Amino acid sequence: MRIELVKGDITDQQVDAIVNAANSSLLGGGGVDGAIHRRGGPGILAECKRIRAERWPEGLPTGRAVATIAGRLPAKWVIHTVGPVHSRSEDRSHLLASCHTEVLKAADELGAKTVAFPAISTGVYGYPLELAAPVAINAVKAAETQVEEVRFVLFDEAAYRAFERALADA
Ligand code: AR6
């Protein structure tokens, strides 16, 4: 599998699946989540509501992933995952790693060969980039998957540099 790093906006990516840094409600929010629903249109939220009602009435647990259509986005699917909120007193890196492996599992079920990830948990959820980047890179590298390209789409220079260092060290 190829791992690529790009600076940019996840909603611009022409890949089979883009990943949403969602919350358990699957009903939208700010950051990546807000951008995806805004640009993808109401079809994505409608499918999220159906998934909540049929499969996850209490919400999607942290570290899990589910796929929906991508509406008006250039991708074919959105894979929604819930990253951990960063905690200073508890190591939640296994949950962040799980987001990446569960997304790749969902991608395999869809037949998606190219997947674009944002830096999950590093915005509203407060995970330091220096901690999140190696967890994300190592989880993707270790995953057994048919996905051929994983693209990390980093919103700013600081995120890009953290992922570049993590990739060099992996
Ligand atoms: N494209 C790529 N990266 C982005 C974009 C974008 N359009 N917008 C922000 N980022 P966040 P989280 C970066 O907050 O920390 C939502 O309200 C951002 O700079 O989107 O997992 C959800 O509903 C940061 O580095 O996700 C949840 O409640 C990274 O993407 C909660 O936020 C992730 O930031 C999830 O928080």
Side-chain angles (χ1 to χ4, degrees):
M1 175 221 294
R2 279 191 317 278
I3 298 182
E4 289 190 3
L5 309 182
V6 300
K7 232 193 289 172
D9 185 323
I10 193 100
T11 64
D12 289 332
Q13 304 303 310
Q14 300 205 356
V15 285
D16 293 335
I18 66 168
V19 177
N20 184 14
N23 60 60
S24 298
S25 80
L26 295 178
L27 301 180
V32 169
D33 202 4
I36 285 175
H37 284 286
R38 227 173 8 254
R39 192 149 167 214
I44 300 174
L45 184 60
E47 201 177 340
C48 284
K49 285 184 176 160
R50 194 169 50 73
I51 289 169
R52 276 293 307 277
E54 289 173 4
R55 288 163 58 193
W56 297 106
E58 319 259 290
L60 183 68
T62 304
R64 302 293 291 268
V66 292
T68 66
I69 56 159
R72 296 196 282 263
L73 292 164
K76 292 188 197 134
W77 298 284
V78 176
I79 303 176
H80 308 258
T81 189
V82 184
V85 175
H86 181 254
S87 158
R88 284 174 183 221
S89 56
E90 189 188 19
D91 180 7
R92 297 178 179 168
S93 56
H94 63 290
L95 292 168
L96 185 56
S98 169
C99 288
H100 294 80
T101 45
E102 291 291 311
V103 163
L104 293 173
K105 236 187 258 175
D108 283 340
E109 283 163 18
L110 295 165
K113 299 294 183 202
T114 53
V115 178
F117 282 87
I120 298 167
S121 287
T122 66
V124 175
Y125 282 178
Y127 229 96
L129 280 163
E130 303 309 321
L131 298 181
V135 173
I137 295 276
N138 292 333
V140 162
K141 274 200 115 169
E144 277 186 35
T145 174
Q146 304 305 307
V147 171
E148 291 164 3
E149 181 192 323
V150 166
R151 188 182 300 172
F152 285 99
V153 182
L154 295 323
F155 212 38
D156 58 26
E157 188 63 33
Y160 186 86
R161 287 223 195 90
F163 275 73
E164 205 173 35
R165 275 193 295 275
L167 190 56
D169 291 347

